[in-house]
Amino acid sequence: MSSDTAGAANRDVVGAVLKACALLEHFDTARPVWSLNELTVASGMNKTTVHRLMTTLVHAGWVARTPDSGYRIAMPLFEIGSAAVSRLDIRDAAKPVLQELAATFGDTAYLMVPAESGAVCIDRVEGNNSLVVAGISIGSVIPYHAAAGPTVMLAYSPELRADWLARDLPAYTDRTVTDPTALHEHLDRVVAQGYSVSDADYLEGVAAVAAPILGQRRELVASVSIGGRRDAFDGDGLDARVDAVQAAARRLSRVAEALHDPTDT
């Protein structure tokens, strides 16, 4: 790194934030609570600085005070950290599964996770079929009432259902289900059969199959799906894809169960 680059990087660094992060690094399972004096000694910082930084973290909600005036990590920081680690771990575990699905069928395989605004594609592996599904890439946010991956997540999440079915739902093709009653019935069928099939309801000429990845309490974690040419998702071809995607979802659900073990919360 050149001196100019290093100088620019240093100007972008906020020293107080680095110090606050250094203080948070002292908290772990072996030592979840620290007093002001203990943090001052362990960090080597000025006591006034430690007090101001910890007071700021308390105000932000990242740190909480204990009855004896100590400090402990607050729940939001645990939740954010756990969610980030879980999603990274699920993505790592899903990569070979997506590769296997793409290689077997030549379709594009997807891993999606739920968000308030829609299903977020966090990974995809393209197969060797001539159709490339250009409308869905990593980072794409897809509405829950269309496409197989989003729809299967909507089916398995009561919270998402309550929110999404109260909205005005746009049609993306002439096959998109936009009527709340019809969509509710479709979602019930998805849960009953354990998978979702999309037949050109989001992208013209594209069909897909998806199954849910569930945690130990059967809470929704993500979805795994494959999408490709509509004419391949019929008869024996559809049956084979359904079986493979459901097997992949069961495999990844076992990973999700370990990551979301309720005994750890």
Side-chain angles (χ1 to χ4, degrees):
M1 181 182 292
S2 69
S3 59
D4 289 344
T5 302
N10 288 336
R11 288 194 297 272
D12 290 336
V13 172
V14 180
V17 175
L18 288 178
K19 290 180 179 179
C21 291
L23 290 174
L24 291 175
E25 289 175 356
H26 290 286
F27 294 83
D28 57 25
T29 54
R31 187 73 178 276
V33 177
W34 289 76
S35 70
L36 175 60
N37 288 335
E38 290 169 338
L39 277 174
T40 299
V41 173
S43 66
M45 298 181 196
N46 179 283
K47 186 174 184 179
T48 301
T49 298
V50 173
H51 179 264
R52 292 177 61 187
L53 290 173
M54 296 307 294
T55 299
T56 301
L57 291 170
V58 170
H59 182 74
W62 302 121
V63 172
R65 300 303 301 268
T66 64
D68 59 354
S69 299
Y71 299 98
R72 62 173 175 79
I73 298 298
M75 188 54 66
L77 195 54
F78 276 122
E79 291 172 345
I80 291 172
S82 297
V85 170
S86 295
R87 289 188 177 189
L88 287 173
D89 286 348
I90 276 290
R91 189 180 185 209
D92 288 343
K95 177 63 78 174
V97 176
L98 299 181
Q99 292 171 336
E100 182 178 333
L101 288 171
T104 299
F105 298 103
D107 302 319
T108 303
Y110 302 92
L111 179 68
M112 299 182 185
V113 295
E116 183 178 352
S117 56
V120 181
C121 177
I122 63 171
D123 204 2
R124 62 172 267 169
V125 175
E126 290 186 6
N128 59 9
N129 285 345
S130 58
L131 175 66
V132 176
V133 185
I136 303 175
S137 57
I138 295 175
S140 294
V141 180
I142 305 108
Y144 282 116
H145 66 292
T151 302
V152 82
M153 288 196 283
L154 183 63
Y156 276 81
S157 171
E159 295 80 12
L160 289 176
R161 275 207 205 199
D163 173 42
W164 212 258
L165 290 177
R167 303 186 182 197
D168 291 328
L169 304 177
Y172 296 93
T173 73
D174 59 5
R175 292 174 175 268
T176 308
V177 180
T178 59
D179 177 71
T181 300
L183 182 57
H184 182 79
E185 293 172 352
H186 173 64
L187 297 176
D188 285 345
R189 289 194 295 272
V190 168
V191 173
Q193 64 194 16
Y195 62 90
S196 174
V197 177
S198 167
D199 184 11
D201 64 350
Y202 183 60
L203 297 172
E204 294 285 358
V206 176
V209 173
I213 299 171
L214 305 174
Q216 195 166 79
R217 293 174 176 168
R218 293 191 62 77
E219 74 277 10
L220 175 67
V221 176
S223 71
V224 59
S225 60
I226 52 175
R229 298 178 62 89
R230 184 182 173 196
D231 56 9
F233 286 68
D234 192 17
D236 292 342
L238 176 60
D239 292 341
R241 286 168 170 81
V242 168
D243 290 343
V245 169
Q246 286 191 295
R250 287 192 296 269
R251 180 174 164 188
L252 293 173
S253 289
R254 289 192 289 271
V255 176
E257 288 170 6
L259 294 174
H260 294 74
D261 187 345
T263 61
D264 292 339
T265 60

